[in-house]
Amino acid sequence: MSKTTSSDRLGQWEDDDSNRPHKKVKYSPTISETNVIEDDADSSTKRNRSIIKAPESDSWVVTRYLGSDSYISAYLAVRKTDGDGDEDKLPNEMVIKSSVLSQSAYLMNEEKFLNCLKSPFIVSCYGHEMTDEENDKKLFNTINEYCPGQSLAKHVRSNEGGLPVDDVKRFASDILFGLKCIHGEEIIHHDIKPENVLLKPANKRIRASGFIAKISGFGNAMEKGWIEDGENWYHRSGTARFMSPELIGEKVLDYGADVWAFGCTVLEMLSGEQVWGEYGELDWDDWVTLVSKSGLAPSIPDYLSEKAKDFLKKCLERDPAKRWSVDSLIKHEFLTDGDDEEEEYEEEDGEAYEEEEDEEEEEDEDDELYDPEVVAYEANLEVEAAFEEEEEEEEEEEEEEGEEAIEIDEEYPKEEDSDEDL
């Protein structure tokens, strides 16, 4: 049975260990790799899971237990249909993350940042609600968007050898536009990794992969204006495997740390293997030596295309001053390569591709300016608009069906290893 830590799992749920390698290496996470944000956290000890009794609310009802990690438990819930008021503003399905009030720093931090970030590529938060436990303790419950596609980490593991390149490009573009929104608000996510990217199902006519990627796991996020002292212990919270050299070694936290972690995430999508996985299990001092002092960067497979390798090198540049920004990466030819886009359109809809090709030829004839960032952004907006339209149609169908009895599954998993990750 593996032990996990708080900041390593929040924002996602799975039915196996989210930190095991995708292939070959047997690995068990330790607190030295992933620190937590509670003020009383001791990085020299491991923390156990605890299941909090399912919260009860007048606005929603819990239907399924999803998993737990340290002080937080997560549940799938549905909106109650027999009432008026704030519950009408909630989605039909939602994820409730619950923690005892005295141990809810992570959830409070996550809610604060999610409330000020609005993007189709960031999970939504619908606020919080206080409830009471039987022992008179107060529970702090955040109400979050439900992404039944689960996490990118599990999606990668289910595709041995890595994801299709076209899917990697789509997910990478989603994550970059999410980071563009985050950095635009002068926020550093501080824990980008596959476990903190959730997949929202989408019509395959909208997305060939069937999913849209959304960034989650904001418990370690920080405002750039807060970062004044490089000795702040909080800079070391996060996941060592995805930390940049300047962060893990010199405790320098800036937007570039998110770009490095994003590069590690793309590398895992392309290779199907855990970044730095060839070095096995490491303690904190080993991670500092490997990532900060060795002068090495994560290994990039030779079989990848030149464009893919160049894209990864721009993300995994050890010198943060030379590392590319999010805005620059959005324009990289790995993501904007027209030939690859044409092949994807042919697979999805031949007629649609021919119409688009004709339009592009007309634009070329008129010598109009081609801005890859604008094209990518508009494409993502079209995807989200189509996805929202589909959701609205589904909600209208559900309302027409009227009220139905809700069966609550009160049976919890018998073993911790069967818990779905937060």
Side-chain angles (χ1 to χ4, degrees), residues 179-353:
L179 282 174
K180 182 180 177 71
C181 173
I182 294 168
H183 293 175
E185 295 295 330
E186 298 188 347
I187 296 169
I188 301 173
H189 183 279
H190 201 186
D191 202 15
I192 293 292
K193 57 184 177 180
E195 289 81 6
N196 282 339
V197 177
L198 303 185
L199 302 179
K200 185 87 170 184
N203 191 309
K204 288 198 173 183
R205 288 185 59 84
I206 302 173
R207 276 290 176 87
S209 66
F211 299 104
I212 295 174
K214 292 174 174 275
I215 299 175
S216 67
F218 283 79
N220 289 326
M222 296 182 69
E223 291 183 28
K224 184 171 171 57
W226 290 356
I227 304 170
E228 299 176 353
D229 183 2
E231 295 299 320
N232 192 329
W233 72 271
Y234 185 54
H235 291 191
R236 283 192 174 183
S237 62
T239 308
R241 189 176 297 275
F242 293 86
M243 284 186 178
S244 63
E246 72 276 8
L247 174 57
I248 197 171
E250 303 172 17
K251 297 184 286 291
V252 175
L253 179 61
D254 208 334
Y255 300 130
D258 283 346
V259 172
W260 175 280
F262 163 76
C264 293
T265 299
V266 175
L267 178 56
E268 292 199 356
M269 285 195 283
L270 287 168
S271 68
E273 297 188 30
Q274 192 175 50
V275 66
W276 300 116
E278 65 270 28
Y279 294 93
E281 183 176 349
L282 304 176
D283 61 23
W284 176 258
D285 290 336
D286 291 336
W287 281 116
V288 173
T289 300
L290 175 62
V291 179
S292 177
K293 300 178 181 179
S294 69
L296 299 174
S299 177
I300 299 175
D302 290 334
Y303 58 79
L304 296 179
S305 70
E306 292 303 316
K307 292 177 182 179
K309 288 189 284 188
D310 184 72
F311 182 81
L312 290 170
K313 289 177 182 178
K314 296 296 190 293
C315 298
L316 300 174
E317 166 61 53
R318 290 186 57 86
D319 184 350
K322 297 179 180 179
R323 196 175 304 149
W324 275 30
S325 68
V326 166
D327 287 336
S328 297
L329 289 169
I330 288 173
K331 301 175 184 178
H332 193 282
E333 59 183 350
F334 173 63
L335 300 182
T336 62
D337 185 352
D339 292 338
D340 291 337
E341 290 179 356
E342 289 176 2
E343 292 175 4
E344 182 173 353
Y345 277 117
E346 286 178 340
E347 293 176 0
E348 292 181 0
D349 193 330
E351 294 180 0
Y353 165 67

Side-chain angles (χ1 to χ4, degrees), residues 1 36 71 175 180 293 336 349 379 404:
M1 183 184 304
V36 294
Y71 303 130
I175 298 169
K180 182 180 177 71
K293 300 178 181 179
T336 62
D349 193 330
E404 294 183 358

Side-chain angles (χ1 to χ4, degrees), residues 9-10 23 41 51 66 81 104 108 117 139 179 183 215 248 251 323 329 331 333 399 403:
R9 301 259 192 161
L10 299 173
K23 295 172 64 178
I51 297 176
L66 295 175
T81 58
S104 59
M108 289 182 177
L117 294 169
L139 289 183
L179 282 174
H183 293 175
I215 299 175
I248 197 171
K251 297 184 286 291
R323 196 175 304 149
L329 289 169
K331 301 175 184 178
E333 59 183 350
E399 291 176 359
E403 293 186 359

Side-chain angles (χ1 to χ4, degrees), residues 6-7 9-12 36-38 47 52 55 67 69-75 95-115 125-131 138-144 217-221 234 422:
S6 176
S7 62
R9 301 259 192 161
L10 299 173
Q12 61 281 332
V36 294
I37 68 170
E38 275 72 16
R47 299 169 60 188
I52 298 173
D69 194 357
S70 296
Y71 303 130
I72 300 173
S73 294
Y75 305 88
V95 170
I96 306 299
K97 293 183 182 180
S98 299
S99 177
V100 175
L101 181 59
S102 61
Q103 301 168 342
S104 59
Y106 186 102
L107 289 182
M108 289 182 177
N109 197 59
E110 182 172 58
E111 182 197 14
K112 177 183 69 175
F113 287 111
L114 287 178
N115 282 342
C125 180
Y126 307 104
H128 73 270
E129 183 174 339
M130 301 292 298
T131 60
K138 292 285 186 181
L139 289 183
F140 184 84
N141 309 285
T142 57
I143 307 169
N144 304 280
F218 283 79
N220 289 326
Y234 185 54
L422 292 181

Side-chain angles (χ1 to χ4, degrees), residues 42 86 115 140 154 180 261 380 393:
D42 182 356
D86 292 339
N115 282 342
F140 184 84
K154 182 174 182 180
K180 182 180 177 71
N380 279 308
E393 291 176 355

